[in-house]
Amino acid sequence: MTETATHTAGATAPTPPARFAVPGRIEVNGRVAGTWQTATLTGIRRETPRASTFRLAVPGWAGHLPGQHLMLRLTAADGYRAQRHYSLASAPDDSGHIELTLDRVPDGEVSGWFHTVARPGDEIEVRGPLSGFFAWPGDRPALLLGAGSGVVPLMSMVRHHRARGLTVPLRLLVSARGPEELIYAGEFGAETTPVFTRTAPPGTPVGRLAAAHVAPLLAEPPAGGWEAYVCGSNAFAEHASRLLVAAGQPVDRIRIERFG
Amino acid sequence: MNTTRGFTGRPRAARPGLPPGQYDAGDDWPVLSAEVTPEIAPADWTFRVGGLVAEPRTWDLAGARLLPAAGYAGDIHCVTGWSKFGVRFGGVSLDAFLDAAGPLPSATHAVARAHTGYTANLPLADLTGGRAWIVWEYDGQPLAPEHGGPARLVVPHLYFWKSVKWIAGLELLDHDEPGFWEQNGYHARGNPWEEQRYSGD
Ligand SMILES: Cc1cc2nc3c(=O)[nH]c(=O)nc-3n(C[C@H](O)[C@H](O)[C@H](O)COP(=O)(O)OP(=O)(O)OC[C@H]3O[C@@H](n4cnc5c(N)ncnc54)[C@H](O)[C@@H]3O)c2cc1C
């Protein structure tokens, strides 16, 4: 068989090399991911004026890896159902509980119910965990970039790192409009650099995540380099991933979760 | 049915054309891609049809534009839950490319591959008969890079993760070979009307 270029000589390129590979090391259990389970709300914790953490007992939860998400659905009396994706905020553990952190979206159908109606004892349905691509099992140095509620799956990674006493390098750059909107503010340690875009405490600069935040981390990467995880709105994901590429992070080692 | 205490949902009218479990994203067009948006100059874009074909062929954008213009006007459905009504894509029917390469009788499936290496698998029957397109225009404008420009595959009757952005080629096979999301727990086919979201659905 011969290769035929239909228009110009330049068009004879063979199949391009893959720069974007499935991470082979993470298995998603299709049977578990396919099953809806009843979860019971056991606690609500205020994080910021706009975000709260919802603790759920899920007796049949098969466990998850930091970075994975689930699908959640609410059912109205007339049979109408609304389903949304939420990242797992808690580290994997054997407590029989998982935690989600929901931003209150103006007029939001599902987040609105959680923030105004939900109370302990309520039952909802979940399926998951889903998608192994964004997961971080804790085996490689991780550079985490998040904005707004995009910090949720990254916090699961930070908590996992702490709970297991991992020594593999981990750094978190987290962007929020101001200190009062910084989810998990009280939990961050030396691994985290907050970036404030509108208001900041005295002495802290105000401005977007910039090359100056990223460059030092990539100038001296850990052995084996970083695995980068970017999570947030699409606008943030585009901005942050471009900063990483410009600073020299290989594109095939950047994983992105966009909340839409 | 497990009803949720106090949940009524938004006031709604039945929306014909909305598959189960989906909502109308209105004017929004969310971007859902797990990778860095590649910068591919239109002049560098190529599309190859290979594998089980009589003659592997490669087109560049100028060459593809010589094929009969065709487009898709209708709805699209993303596995994450949003649907978008009344989109207009301009490009060429995939049939035009396939006819030129000549699928062998043994070809039953295809793997669609992006210039980034992202892949999705599709039965050949879902790609032929005027049901799939290679498109480079959206609403009469060049397709934006974050939506797959210079050119993407569009297979609107399946969930949109099958409509590979930055499409680089189709490899025709005599068996099904899971692509990127299918290896990550998504359904092999992804029919929105049957809610084929994850493996096991
Ligand atoms: C993989 C993934 C992980 C995610 N993880 C998280 C997480 O950890 N935390 C988190 O907070 N979010 C997360 N999200 C986002 C989440 O899935 C929801 O999109 C978010 O909670 C909004 O849902 P909602 O039902 O509250 O709002 P929706 O009702 O969907 O509304 C969203 C916006 O659209 C408008 N809108 C939509 N439909 C209509 C309509 N019919 N009429 C009027 N207005 C409408 C609303 O006014 C609102 O501004 C994640 C998303 C993805 C894809």
Side-chain angles (χ1 to χ4, degrees):
Chain A
M1 291 194 293
T2 53
E3 184 88 11
T4 309
T6 302
H7 191 63
T8 64
T12 49
T15 307
R19 71 164 204 196
F20 187 64
V22 178
R25 63 206 162 102
I26 296 163
E27 282 284 323
V28 174
N29 184 328
R31 191 183 50 76
V32 168
T35 312
W36 286 102
Q37 304 184 54
T38 300
T40 307
L41 187 58
T42 60
I44 303 175
R45 200 164 68 232
R46 174 63 72 92
E47 301 282 359
T48 71
R50 282 186 35 173
S52 290
T53 293
F54 298 86
R55 189 169 174 81
L56 303 166
V58 195
W61 190 249
H64 64 274
L65 289 169
Q68 286 190 292
H69 59 264
L70 52 65
M71 196 181 223
L72 178 156
R73 79 180 175 199
L74 306 181
T75 306
D78 65 359
Y80 171 77
R81 279 182 168 149
Q83 50 188 25
R84 303 285 186 271
H85 289 97
Y86 292 103
S87 299
L88 289 144
S90 43
D93 59 29
D94 48 18
S95 67
H97 286 72
I98 55 171
E99 291 186 354
L100 309 177
T101 301
L102 271 67
D103 218 5
R104 182 170 183 174
V105 174
D107 300 326
E109 194 169 47
V110 172
S111 67
W113 180 85
F114 272 95
H115 283 275
T116 60
V117 180
R119 63 175 188 230
D122 281 338
E123 291 186 344
I124 53 156
E125 289 175 294
V126 297
R127 64 185 286 191
L130 304 171
S131 185
F133 179 68
F134 199 72
W136 179 72
D139 56 347
R140 300 176 186 192
L143 177 55
L144 318 177
L145 280 65
S149 58
V151 70
V152 175
L154 309 181
M155 193 64 206
S156 177
M157 299 176 190
V158 173
R159 288 168 167 163
H160 181 62
H161 191 263
R162 282 194 198 149
R164 296 289 159 94
L166 301 179
T167 53
V168 60
L170 177 97
R171 291 299 313 268
L172 169 63
L173 297 176
V174 58
S175 174
R177 271 176 283 230
E180 68 294 338
E181 289 197 30
L182 184 63
I183 303 174
Y184 314 127
E187 268 189 74
F188 296 133
E191 79 290 325
T192 299
T193 307
V195 178
F196 298 114
T197 56
R198 304 257 178 89
T199 56
T204 309
V206 175
R208 284 220 292 180
L209 180 73
H213 296 108
V214 175
L217 294 166
L218 287 172
E220 286 176 49
W226 297 108
E227 201 74 29
Y229 292 81
V230 176
C231 188
S233 66
N234 179 54
F236 175 80
E238 287 291 308
H239 173 69
S241 61
R242 281 200 201 118
L243 287 179
L244 287 170
V245 173
Q249 175 71 7
V251 286
D252 59 358
R253 297 192 61 188
I254 302 176
R255 298 165 198 279
I256 304 180
E257 185 104 283
R258 305 173 203 245
F259 283 1
Chain B
M1 188 174 61
N2 286 313
T3 56
T4 314
R5 183 190 60 83
F7 178 69
T8 52
R10 209 178 254 123
R12 60 201 168 268
R15 180 66 155 114
L18 194 64
Q22 296 290 109
Y23 68 92
D24 179 359
D27 292 335
D28 283 355
W29 188 2
V31 174
L32 286 152
S33 126
E35 53 188 320
V36 179
T37 300
E39 287 174 26
I40 303 169
D44 293 337
W45 179 83
T46 54
F47 176 64
R48 179 181 193 270
V49 178
L52 296 173
V53 294
E55 190 186 1
R57 304 279 296 252
T58 302
W59 289 262
D60 63 8
L61 201 53
R65 284 180 187 279
L66 298 177
L67 297 169
Y72 171 73
D75 312 332
I76 57 176
H77 313 287
C78 175
V79 69
T80 63
W82 55 268
S83 291
K84 189 166 171 58
F85 289 86
V87 302
R88 291 193 306 128
F89 286 112
V92 168
S93 169
L94 196 60
D95 290 310
F97 297 97
L98 288 169
D99 289 348
L104 299 178
S106 54
T108 57
H109 290 78
V111 169
R113 180 179 295 276
H115 279 273
T116 59
Y118 173 89
T119 53
N121 56 312
L122 296 120
L124 200 50
D126 278 315
L127 293 171
T128 52
R131 300 211 290 165
W133 292 263
I134 300 293
V135 307
W136 42 80
E137 277 177 13
Y138 178 76
D139 256 349
Q141 301 295 318
L143 185 64
E146 60 182 17
H147 290 302
R152 75 180 296 163
L153 176 66
V154 167
V155 191
H157 67 284
L158 299 179
Y159 283 127
F160 224 47
W161 89 78
K162 297 287 186 180
S163 292
V164 174
K165 296 177 179 180
W166 316 296
I167 186 78
L170 280 184
E171 185 81 4
L172 271 54
L173 307 170
D174 60 6
H175 61 277
D176 197 7
E177 208 170 278
F180 176 76
W181 285 121
E182 296 79 12
Q183 290 173 51
N184 274 289
Y186 281 46
H187 195 274
R189 179 150 183 264
N191 180 346
W193 296 98
E194 291 172 19
E195 273 208 271
Q196 295 171 339
R197 297 177 194 274
Y198 303 104
S199 62
D201 279 345

